[in-house]
Structures are given as structure tokens and as C-alpha cells.
Amino acid sequence: MSAELTSEVGKGTLPEPRSSARRIVGFDSWTRGAHHFERLIPALARRGAVLKLVHLGSWGNDPGRPQQERIGELEVRDISAYGDASLEGMLEAESPDVLILLSIETFAHRAMLRYCRQRAIPTLLLYHGLVNVQVTSDRRGSYGPRMLAHAMFVASKLGKVMRRTLPCYVMALLRTHASGGDWKRFICDAVRMALGQSAYRPTADPASDATATMCAVYTEADVGHAIHSYAFRPEDVRVVGNPDLGRFGMNEQLLGSRLACEPPAPLRLMYIDTGLVNNGLIFRNYDQFIAHLTLTAKALAAHGARMSLKLHPSHDEELLRRRLAGVGVEIVANRDLMSGLQTSHACIVEPTTLAMIPGLLGMPMFYAAYGELSVLRYGPVLMSYPRGRLLSDIGELRLRLNEMRSVCDAAATRTWIRRNAGPLPIEDMAERVATSVQMLGAAHGRVAASG
């Protein structure tokens, strides 16, 4: 769910001379997650720190970006701005006091963790979603990729992986004097990831490049995941709140607000997508995904309901508008999400963090498990929601909605909301992250304990 971003091309390709302000570097594979970093700028500035984002877009993840630009208030640089475009070169040039990552599951990010550890640079893994909306308790997970679709997805990334990612990681292993166990894990993880399986397992070694120095998760529901999947110690996991809530206009007054009232007719439902087809998951191809949306819209129309659609940012929105023209689907922009939910009677959702918003409002939710999505499984956070139901037959939607309305347990729903809203107030999420960054740097002698 990326925000509407405006970019301003900067001049020059080299970092400025070191200033007295503490330097925090965000590191990511592309610019589409820039909003996760930009929201931290004011809170970090109040602590005497400046933040910039360095990304690997020119490696093939986000081609065509300038070497240097601004996205909103965030200073952004492509890795190509640093001489030989190496991770080591970037660390030498920027000399960050703390490095923040949104993911540590790719080999390029793991290479960065190795270099940071070698240089005693503390690292923070900042979760960019609520993981336990998915199934994390077994190898199958929530999806289980289609072999053909996943093979095509892997093939589309193979050039970049062979040209950039794997050589980068192999070089990091060599330069950081990796152990035999590290090399063995590299081979095993490469095979697992090629097969569409997670490289992370409960047996993760906390001394390996599979983990960062500290972790920040949205809610208590993901603390166990951080500990068991990435080998974090419990004391190194911070609960900072769900930034999607404030980003889309959620506040404490709206929590549970839909338990007391419903919008007037006509019947409207919002479908919240999570971009499965773009990751080689579930659907064989884009045509099958379009067919799924068309089927859903027509089924809702048969119930006298209109369908709105909140897309994952990985989609080409204009392409989908053209493909869905005449089907009766209204595509919802980020800025219109909350108003769209307020006029919707229920949501159909896939396993996505954004599904937490209708849940925290107290709306009825259906978990898409019909047609091609019949193989989808949903995590404990969603499955414990009192007003949520699996929808295995889209033709039964009206019946299931009427049943849900007649058995609404408001008290149980409010208990779920209190447990899953995360720390309050909602808008202080960035302050909590900035405090964690400050503590992390201070513990390693790199950032002042107060400022």
C-alpha cells in the first residue's frame, strides 16, 4: 500500500561530508517501501538524527530511478551513486550509526547484515506488515505457490539474481570470512527459495546473517514470530504499533465504531487484495486473476451489491482499470480507503495487514477461499476475529452476511480489537521506532542516549 509519492531529482552522486547529526540509513531493494521510512523522519530529527534511504533499484528491482532524488521529505539514493555500486562502498561513504531494513529474507539484505556486523554497525529489522495474518506455523504457509506460476516468477528474476544478488552474497561470505556452516546454509537456502519456500526456520542461528541486532513489530501477535523465525532474543523485540492505521485515517475514536451502526443501502462490499499473482502465488497468470475479480463482481451484483477494490501497490492500476472496464468494479485509492470502508457493509479480504483496518472498525469480514483461492489459509490474528468467516462459496455471501449480523458478539469483538490494535495512541508509532533506534545506537556507542 504505497503512498502517492512525488520525486524530485537531485544533483550529484556522492554523499555530503559527515555532519554532527547522527546518521540513520534505511536499506531496501526498491523505492516502493519509501513511505515506511519517510514517516520516521520527524521523530528521528527530534532526536538529532537524519535518515536517508539507499536502495538497489538499478540492480533490476526498480529500474529507471535517478541516482539521487527526494521522495516526499525522504532523501533517496540508488546504490549506483556509490562508485562501484557495492554495499561496502555505501557503508564506507555513509558510515551509518544505525541501519534499518524492512526485510532480511533476500541474499542482498543478508549480505548487508554481514557487512554491518563486521563493522559493528547495529541493525534494526522493522516489520512492514503484520505477519500473523498469514499462517506461519508450518512449511506450507498461507499460499503454496503454483509451480508453473512460481517458475515463471523465478525465471523473470533469474538474470538479476545471477548477475547481482548471488555474486553480492558470495562476495560478502568471502569478505566476512564465513564459516563452513554459512556456506552450507547458503546452498540450502538458495534451493529452498527457488522452490518457493521460506529460507527462515525456527532453528535459525542468532550468530548467522539471518537476524539483525533489534526488531520492531506492529503488535504483540508478531513477537513470537520474530523470536522463532529470526532468532531474536525476547528483550530485543519492540512492539511499536501498526502504522497502516494512522496512514489510512484510523484513530482511537473509530475503533469498534461499526459495531453500533451500518451504512444505508445499497449493499456494498470492498475486496482487499494482496498481490498474489505478482509473486507467482495461487494464480497461473494475470488473466486468471482478472477472471477471479470478474467472477467476484458478477456474484456480488447477483446479490444486488456493488464491489469496490483496494489493490496491492505491486499492481499496474491503469492496466487493471482497463481490464475491468464494464465489470462494475470501483478501484479505491489510498486516500479514499477509510471513506470507502465507512460506506461498505462488509469486506472480502486476502491474507494482508490491511485487513486489520475493517477488523478494528468492527466490520463483518469474509476470508476469500473460493475458486482459485480455495487453497488459501489465514493466520491466527484473522481467524480469531469474531466477525470473520471463511467464504468458500461466493454464491452464499448474502446468506453468510445475514447470519453474521444476527449473531454479532460485540463484547468479544471489542476484546479482539483491544488485543490487536497495538500500542496507543496510534500516531505515536514513529516515536516508538525512533526511541528504539536511539536505544540501539546508544547500546553500541554510536548514538547519544539523549538528544
Side-chain angles (χ1 to χ4, degrees):
M1 293 73 66
S2 63
E4 297 175 356
L5 304 178
T6 57
S7 300
E8 176 184 318
V9 178
K11 296 181 179 180
T13 60
L14 295 176
E16 298 83 1
R18 180 85 190 197
S19 71
S20 59
R22 302 295 180 174
R23 287 191 175 188
I24 313 300
V25 168
F27 180 73
D28 206 6
S29 292
W30 57 3
T31 61
R32 293 188 188 179
H35 58 282
H36 293 290
F37 297 101
E38 186 186 7
R39 66 167 62 101
L40 305 178
I41 291 175
L44 287 170
R46 283 189 284 274
R47 291 159 175 80
V50 294
L51 170 68
K52 69 176 61 173
L53 171 63
V54 177
H55 66 91
L56 303 176
S58 60
W59 286 16
N61 303 298
D62 201 356
R65 308 297 305 196
Q67 283 190 335
Q68 183 171 301
E69 60 181 316
R70 295 194 77 85
I71 297 179
E73 296 300 315
L74 181 65
E75 183 179 355
V76 179
R77 286 198 171 97
D78 183 83
I79 192 67
S80 62
Y82 301 92
D84 58 359
S86 72
L87 304 188
E88 289 181 288
M90 185 278 286
L91 290 176
E92 289 295 329
E94 296 294 350
S95 187
D97 295 296
V98 177
L99 187 128
I100 303 174
L101 307 95
L102 303 180
S103 166
I104 54 176
E105 294 200 9
T106 72
F107 283 123
H109 291 204
R110 288 167 60 178
M112 177 59 77
L113 289 173
R114 296 191 74 88
Y115 288 132
C116 285
R117 182 170 296 182
Q118 186 181 56
R119 290 162 173 75
I121 299 170
T123 53
L124 172 70
L125 171 61
L126 175 61
Y127 274 36
H128 61 286
L130 187 61
V131 174
N132 273 296
V133 298
Q134 304 174 10
V135 175
T136 62
S137 58
D138 58 46
R139 185 173 295 182
R140 178 186 164 195
S142 280
Y143 312 112
R146 283 186 174 274
M147 286 299 101
L148 177 59
H150 186 70
M152 294 175 65
F153 175 75
V154 171
S156 71
K157 304 291 184 182
L158 194 58
K160 175 186 76 70
V161 169
M162 299 301 294
R163 186 176 66 257
R164 292 287 194 180
T165 308
L166 292 185
C168 167
Y169 187 67
V170 168
M171 182 61 68
L173 290 174
L174 291 170
R175 289 187 179 276
T176 59
H177 311 292
S179 67
D182 288 334
W183 285 97
K184 180 179 179 181
R185 175 164 180 161
F186 165 49
I187 296 170
C188 292
D189 287 353
V191 172
R192 289 173 61 86
M193 294 166 78
L195 295 175
Q197 300 173 7
S198 172
Y200 286 84
R201 306 180 289 285
T203 55
D205 178 3
S208 76
D209 55 40
T211 191
T213 315
M214 182 183 285
C215 181
V217 299
Y218 285 7
T219 72
E220 289 286 348
D222 276 352
V223 171
H225 180 270
I227 293 170
H228 295 295
S229 295
Y230 300 119
F232 284 104
R233 300 179 304 171
E235 60 267 30
D236 291 331
V237 182
R238 302 287 187 271
V239 180
V240 296
N242 185 344
D244 286 341
L245 305 185
R247 182 178 173 219
F248 291 106
M250 190 76 175
N251 57 48
E252 285 91 320
Q253 288 69 41
L254 291 173
L255 295 175
S257 59
R258 287 295 303 277
L259 290 170
C261 63
E262 287 194 351
L267 187 64
R268 298 176 63 91
L269 280 91
M270 183 181 293
Y271 189 105
I272 300 181
D273 154 76
T274 193
L276 300 172
V277 66
N278 297 316
N279 290 290
L281 299 170
I282 306 297
F283 299 103
R284 288 193 303 272
N285 50 45
Y286 221 76
D287 287 339
Q288 192 175 62
F289 173 62
I290 297 293
H292 167 75
L293 294 177
T294 302
L295 166 71
T296 303
K298 290 182 176 179
L300 293 184
H303 290 294
R306 290 189 61 81
M307 174 180 165
S308 58
L309 172 63
K310 179 64 185 74
L311 289 169
H312 189 272
S314 60
H315 290 293
D316 183 335
E317 184 175 321
E318 289 306 313
L319 170 65
L320 273 171
R321 286 185 187 277
R322 293 195 299 270
R323 296 288 301 273
L324 294 172
V327 178
V329 175
E330 174 191 356
I331 295 180
V332 179
N334 284 345
R335 63 181 178 273
D336 299 323
L337 176 65
M338 190 58 67
S339 60
L341 288 173
Q342 297 286 23
T343 57
S344 297
H345 294 77
C347 287
I348 302 174
V349 304
E350 296 175 3
T352 169
T353 304
L354 200 57
M356 296 301 293
I357 294 183
L360 294 172
L361 288 170
M363 291 177 63
M365 275 201 295
F366 294 101
Y367 310 133
Y370 55 91
E372 296 298 327
L373 303 189
S374 61
V375 298
L376 271 184
R377 299 194 301 164
Y378 292 79
V381 169
L382 292 178
M383 292 305 292
S384 62
Y385 178 55
R387 303 200 77 191
R389 301 288 188 278
L390 280 174
L391 183 64
S392 57
D393 184 348
I394 188 67
E396 295 183 352
L397 184 139
R398 191 64 182 257
L399 174 63
R400 300 303 173 211
L401 181 58
N402 290 338
E403 289 175 352
M404 201 181 306
R405 287 168 168 168
S406 66
V407 296
C408 175
D409 188 336
T413 304
R414 292 188 186 282
T415 298
W416 183 92
I417 290 171
R418 286 194 297 272
R419 187 168 60 244
N420 291 285
L424 302 176
I426 290 169
E427 60 270 18
D428 283 353
M429 179 268 185
E431 295 290 341
R432 298 184 193 103
V433 175
T435 297
S436 297
V437 170
Q438 187 178 39
M439 293 171 59
L440 180 59
H444 289 74
R446 303 185 70 97
V447 177
S450 62

